[in-house]
């Protein structure tokens, strides 16, 4: 078990005067490490969801070991009103619902009772090591994270979970550990839905709120949001760097999601963002500490992504693809290496492939004729997101060796 980080390095979630004073005090605690990022929050997105299945106990456990400041979870209601950790609208991507409930595989996750949801395997889709993971309840989060790691509760698709704000407020009132986190500045609620957050505020006046979405171009609108929200959380690929100062001038924190590439992390830190949400919180922790975030790197790197090619993304020999390059000094056998995107689509390298120093291997999603510098996965569907994404490269034994982000079509 990884040693817990001492509590003086915790960082508060709010920008209230009290919290700012508290943070000043934290920096002044004798023996506490001076922290130039005072107030910065490292958020593990859906746990440590690059390395363990999102919104599961396994993902929370890993996040607890990686020690971000807080972990973000998505909350919806089961059909019988239980607050479950689940991101998608249906169970198709992250569970075996098609096997357990074949006639209901495309039904909203909110139409399943909690007892039904407990029959699902929410881990095998990510990897066999996670077989049998269950869909947790919001209350389970505390058992994994409290007291060292805080929680961001994202109210996901509240229109599909009527009454979810009251259920969350009831849960927060039911266990005093939530109040402890709140007192320590380690609890926050977020949503794309402003009215849902405002409803929660009426039920729980003390909880900090983060509105997720594009930064409004109008300062009047920003100032209006700032009358009730503590933070704006936005897609880092879509933001204008000038938005950071505008949001802060309105009195809110500026958060970004979902940043997985170390270079982008460092760049955003230097721009002064207050919160970075990432699927790889340990990588962000290392970037913050100026420690090598990818100690297993061996010279093989993702250097190019062609997600949106002319014609079909699955055209034989000419479909969507990415390139691996060997930037090291020795030939590397890359057989069995694999690349995963942020929703864990996977492209692999077949057996018998090596890349010499300076050489490249192009990996295609669709069909084609394999050659020494081209490998075709022959998948039936395109997977590389045209709107930009993050990609993680692993060796055949599962070691993370590169993280790469591309911007896409805007
Ligand atoms: O809260 C920011 C981020 O989590 C929103 O995107 O799709 O991961 O819930 P998503
Ligand atoms: Ca989320």
């Amino acid at each position: 078990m990884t040693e817990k980080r001492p509590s003086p390095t915790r960082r508060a979630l709010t920008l209230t005067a009290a919290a700012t004073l508290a943070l000043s005090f934290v920096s002044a605690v004798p023996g506490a490490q001076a922290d130039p990022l005072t107030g910065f929050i490292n958020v593990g997105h859906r746990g440590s969801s690059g390395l363990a299945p999102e919104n599961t106990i396994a993902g929370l456990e890993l996040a607890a070991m990686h020690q971000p400041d807080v972990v973000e979870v998505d909350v919806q209601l089961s059909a019988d009103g239980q607050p479950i950790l689940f991101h998608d609208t249906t169970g198709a991507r992250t569970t075996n619902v098609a096997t357990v409930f074949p006639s209901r595989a495309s039904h909203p996750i909110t139409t399943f009772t909690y007892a039904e949801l407990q029959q699902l395997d929410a881990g095998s889709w990510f990897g066999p090591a996670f077989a049998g993971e269950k869909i947790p309840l919001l209350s389970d989060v505390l058992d994994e994270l409290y007291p060292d790691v805080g929680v961001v509760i994202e109210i996901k698709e509240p229109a599909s979970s009527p009454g979810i704000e009251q259920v969350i407020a009831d849960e927060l009132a039911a266990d005093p550990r939530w109040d402890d986190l709140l007192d320590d500045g380690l609890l926050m609620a977020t949503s794309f839905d402003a009215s849902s957050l405002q409803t929660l505020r009426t039920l729980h006046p003390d909880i900090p709120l983060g509105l997720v979405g594009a930064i409004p171009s109008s300062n009047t609108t920003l100032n209006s949001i700032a009358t009730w929200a503590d933070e704006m959380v936005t897609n880092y690929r879509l933001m204008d760097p000038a938005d950071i100062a505008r949001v802060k001038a309105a009195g809110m924190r500026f958060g970004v999601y979902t940043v997985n590439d170390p270079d982008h992390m460092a760049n955003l830190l230097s721009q002064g963002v207050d919160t970075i949400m990432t699927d790889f919180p340990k990588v962000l922790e290392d970037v913050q500490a100026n420690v090598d975030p990818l100690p297993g790197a061996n010279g093989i790197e993702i250097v190019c992504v062609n997600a949106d090619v002319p014609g079909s993304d699955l055209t034989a020999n000419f479909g969507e693809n990415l390139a691996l390059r060997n930037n090291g000094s020795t030939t590397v056998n890359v057989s069995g290496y694999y690349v995963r995107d942020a929703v864990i689509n996977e492209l692999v390298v077949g057996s018998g492939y090596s890349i010499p120093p300076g050489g490249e291997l192009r990996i295609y999603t669709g069909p084609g004729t394999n050659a020494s510098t081209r490998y075709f996965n022959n998948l039936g569907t395109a997977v590389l997101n045209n709107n930009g994404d993050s990609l993680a490269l692993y060796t055949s034994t599962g070691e993370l060796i590169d993280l790469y982000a591309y911007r896409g079509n805007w």
Side-chain angles (χ1 to χ4, degrees), residues 181-205:
L181 290 181
L182 191 62
D183 291 345
D184 287 350
L186 292 171
L187 178 64
M188 183 176 184
T190 63
S191 184
F192 285 91
D193 190 314
S195 67
S196 178
L197 290 173
Q198 290 170 316
T199 299
L200 182 63
R201 171 61 57 74
T202 66
L203 301 168
H204 196 305

Side-chain angles (χ1 to χ4, degrees), residues 45-46 72-74 87-88 152 154 156 190-192 210 212-213 233-234 256-258 277 279:
H45 182 233
R46 311 181 198 169
E72 184 251 15
V73 293
D74 301 290
H87 176 272
D88 289 7
V152 171
E154 180 176 347
K156 180 57 76 182
T190 63
S191 184
F192 285 91
V212 187
V233 185
T234 200
V256 287
Y257 71 94
T258 303
M277 197 174 292
D279 299 327

